[in-house]
Amino acid sequence: MDNITEIAFQIILFAGNGKSSAMEAIQEAKEGNFEEADRLIEEAGTELGKAHNYQTKLLQEEASGEGTSVNVILVHSQDHLMTSMTVRDLAVEIIEIYRNK
């Protein structure tokens, strides 16, 4: 497996972890468990941060002229990361709605 594919899979892994934690946080908020919801949102942010670090590495390589060819797995990883970040952002808002209910 080449380096770009390995990085893409790391992005997919950590983005998926972050999205799962955000979705779990919504469920905890729905049950009124706001302390656990907040913990899960923080966990989601940590996981998404790890994925973002891999993405940043790719961007830095590209900017320094060391970019590699784009493959479908890399495109998928970027889509997965952006979607997961959106889910986390929406989860924060949904949790606040439940908290203020």
Side-chain angles (χ1 to χ4, degrees):
M1 188 179 322
D2 65 355
N3 186 44
I4 194 82
T5 302
E6 287 180 36
I7 290 172
F9 279 125
Q10 291 299 312
I11 292 170
I12 291 166
L13 168 73
F14 291 120
N17 289 347
K19 184 164 83 173
S20 292
S21 292
M23 293 301 293
E24 288 176 39
I26 293 170
Q27 293 307 310
E28 290 295 333
K30 190 185 239 183
E31 299 295 323
N33 302 324
F34 297 108
E35 196 170 302
E36 181 64 6
D38 292 340
R39 186 193 70 74
L40 286 163
I41 284 294
E42 188 173 323
E43 184 177 285
T46 299
E47 292 297 301
L48 291 171
K50 292 175 187 176
H52 190 261
N53 288 341
Y54 279 100
Q55 181 187 50
T56 299
K57 180 181 177 189
L58 291 175
L59 292 170
Q60 289 171 338
E61 288 174 3
E62 182 79 22
S64 69
E66 300 173 22
T68 58
S69 61
V70 175
N71 62 36
V72 174
I73 294 171
L74 180 60
V75 171
H76 175 66
S77 75
Q78 295 301 294
D79 180 53
H80 199 58
L81 176 56
M82 295 298 98
T83 303
S84 297
M85 292 173 82
T86 301
V87 167
R88 185 220 170 260
D89 292 346
L90 289 173
V92 168
E93 296 302 320
I94 292 167
I95 290 166
E96 286 306 306
I97 290 169
Y98 279 120
R99 192 184 318 264
N100 295 319
K101 195 172 174 186

